[in-house]
Amino acid sequence: MELVVALAIGVLAGSGVWLLLRPRTFQVAIGLALLSYAVNLFIFSTGGLRTGAAAILERGQEGSLGQFADPLPQALVLTAIVIGFATTALLLVLLLAARGLTGTDHVDGRERDR
Amino acid sequence: MTALSDHLVIAPILLPMLAGAAMVLAGDRWRGPVVALGLLSTLGLVALAAVLLGMADTPTVRIYRLGDWPAAFGIVLVLDRLSALMLALSAVLGFAAFVAALARWDRAGANFHPLFQFQLMGLNGAFLTGDLFNLFVFFEVMLAASYGLALHGSGTARVRAGLHYLVVNLVASLLFLVGVSVVYGISGTLGMAELAARMRDVAAEDRALLEAGLAVMGVAFLIKAASWPLGFWLPGTYAAASAPAAAILSILSKVGIYAVLRVWLLLFGPEAGASAGFGGPVLTAAGVLTMAFGAIAVLAAQNLPRLAGASVLVSSGTLLAAVGTGQAAVTGGALLYLASSVLALGALFLLVELLERGREIGADVLAVTREAFATREDEDEFQEPEAVGVAIPAMVAILGLGFAACAVLLAGLPPLSGFLAKFAMLAPLLGPPEATVAATAWVIMAAMILSGLAVLVAMLRTGIDVFWASPPAAVPRVSLLEIAPIGLLLALCVGLTVGAGPAMDYMLAAARALHAPGAYLGGVLGAGG
């Protein structure tokens, strides 16, 4: 499972960085979205990858943290998702505004001189 | 935890939050109550900051535990000298920018006032928080508001610059998150004090990964502080923003510096075991390079807003280089420089807009081009006699005085506080007379003095051009609301100069506490019981 998650994060981050470096605003927006998925998965995986483990110990139950899913990264990733969602929405609005005002979807607001 | 004064620590976050929320509900229809509420909130913040500044000036650190959870589980706010100083700076700058905005900018677009309040809330939260993840959350609050403020007034230039600003800062936030999660994965904590206490006992095989995580986080801070080569977004964004927004944005780059100061000094102090001093040379090098880049940018600036934006780079570089040396006395001087440059830059951004008002668009570019190519204006020569003897209008003279004061402060010339602060940084760098001076100290000194010279040359050139060579065609119409905040900020700089003794004592005490974080650790962790 570790390998699959690591590969997924790597592919998402790689595609995200590639798109981020492209000159069109829409590509940049998608790149940022992919990159934030990669980061969210990464945060989630820092708590350790376990299947079927409970997040909170039941009363009277004994056990080490190794047997239980760490709830903190899950809380962190939830916050990160919400913030990322809001800022991506803002980016989309700005992208449309830039397209409308400058008449081009180049990130610099003008086409490169050919 | 029951006395009212204990709860004052969280007030700088709650006050703007509640004011901002009420303003959102009120909308733009009721301008009167909204403005009154904003005035109440910003004035309240100034008063709170003054009280907290007094409360923080003790050896012990004041802790506020949210929900009274022990520090190991809950969220803590920490008030020490540094955070109180930053709170005071943001409160004063916020008040000045708010008053300046009332003259006309707050009507240039929707929701200026709530955004402004949330901006202050994010700033204050970032200065107070005691754990890394909340630092991220408050960074985001602050940035989300700043995206709105940078775009305030709309227009092609703002949208174009705002797009770059937004994308760069989103990437920085993602890097911040990566750093935070690596730190949590290795150390199992996000509390800064807890992490500092665990720094020494990190297993040898995990240490490199932890340091890498913190370095990734550091890159995010340096992007915010606009360090070279991560700061190319800054001059364009700040130059395009409306005047009050630019003034409040100018303290945002100092939040990056604050985060570096706080986290780096806390985690990589002498008690960090094998990691002590990690990354110090990188900070110094980044600072020197930022100063060099800032100096070039200042000289190359073809108009006033870009000049102001570029001088933010110079001040960021100066601070980073000084912090990177890792000496308490230098850090003390850097804190005085921080205070003085925040106030001066805020005043400059407010001033620039007033100066630009009376000028024709493109006059700056023309002046610089004329200078560069030494073209004579023969065709204009016959007009000279008429121009001679025209009295400089009083308002232009006042603006000129303000501009000169900003130039003196930013270039670090006597007699104002900019000079005192640079002196306070450079004197401990050189050490006692008999000691040999390290090569890095010479490099930092040369960079600080030369970048000061570059700022002076650029400001002089622009000042001569704006006030003497091509005085405004029409006297700019300036209301008292716009000139008074500039006066307030500059008067505070004069206050820093006159009261340099007590101010410097405070800064040195703050710097010593940062370099020996025993009280900080004891305060946060001891309160856990």
Side-chain angles (χ1 to χ4, degrees), chain A residues 20 25 28 32 35-36 39 42-43 46 70 72-73 76 79-80 83 87 90-91 94 97-98 101-102 107-110, chain B residues 133 136-137 140 144 147-148 151 154-156 159-160 162-164 166-167 170-171 174 177-178 180-182 184-185 190:
Chain A
L20 198 59
T25 45
V28 171
L32 273 172
L35 206 52
S36 73
V39 170
F42 180 75
I43 303 174
T46 52
D70 191 347
L72 198 78
L76 299 188
T79 316
I83 291 175
T87 42
L90 182 64
L91 178 67
L94 196 53
L101 283 170
T102 61
V107 284
D108 285 336
R110 57 169 178 268
Chain B
F133 197 75
F136 166 75
V137 172
E140 287 305 312
Y147 301 144
L151 291 168
S154 197
T156 312
V159 168
R160 196 183 284 164
L163 192 64
H164 295 178
L166 182 62
V167 171
L170 284 182
V171 175
L174 292 177
L177 275 176
V178 170
V180 163
S181 46
V182 170
Y184 180 74
L190 287 171

Side-chain angles (χ1 to χ4, degrees), chain B residues 453-471:
Chain B
L453 179 69
V455 170
L456 182 67
V457 168
M459 299 278 270
L460 255 183
R461 187 182 65 188
T462 315
I464 288 175
D465 181 46
V466 170
F467 294 104
W468 292 344
S470 54

Side-chain angles (χ1 to χ4, degrees), chain B residues 8-54:
Chain B
L8 274 185
V9 174
I10 200 174
I13 302 175
L14 289 182
L15 182 62
M17 186 181 86
L18 295 176
M23 286 171 179
V24 170
L25 292 180
D28 286 329
R29 281 162 300 169
W30 298 330
R31 183 163 181 268
V34 165
V35 167
L37 191 58
L39 198 62
L40 209 66
S41 160
T42 41
L43 266 179
L45 280 179
V46 173
L48 267 175
V51 172
L52 292 178
L53 210 54

Side-chain angles (χ1 to χ4, degrees), chain A residues 48-67:
Chain A
L49 296 168
R50 277 172 219 104
T51 47
I56 296 172
L57 289 167
E58 281 177 32
R59 186 178 292 275
Q61 199 176 10
E62 289 204 10
S64 68
L65 260 181
Q67 297 160 267

Side-chain angles (χ1 to χ4, degrees), chain B residues 208-349:
Chain B
L209 199 53
L210 182 61
E211 285 177 350
L214 286 165
V216 170
M217 205 155 55
V219 170
F221 295 157
L222 290 183
I223 290 177
K224 259 114 200 173
S227 150
W228 188 89
L230 308 167
F232 298 120
W233 55 270
L234 188 141
T237 311
Y238 285 20
S242 58
I248 197 77
L249 286 180
S250 74
I251 201 176
L252 251 68
S253 62
K254 301 296 184 287
V255 179
I257 306 275
Y258 164 83
V260 169
L261 259 176
R262 170 72 77 207
V263 175
W264 186 68
L265 288 177
L266 192 60
L267 298 185
F268 297 116
E271 283 140 40
S275 299
F278 172 78
V282 177
L283 280 183
T284 307
V288 170
L289 286 171
T290 311
M291 266 191 271
F293 176 69
I296 295 169
V298 164
L299 286 177
Q302 295 197 334
N303 56 35
L304 267 169
R306 279 200 91 87
L307 174 68
S311 38
V312 176
L313 292 179
V314 174
S315 94
S316 273
T318 310
L319 285 165
L320 281 177
V323 172
T325 60
Q327 296 176 32
V330 183
T331 310
L335 290 178
L336 188 63
Y337 181 83
L338 180 102
S340 148
S341 76
V342 163
L343 298 173
L345 284 171
L348 183 60
F349 274 112

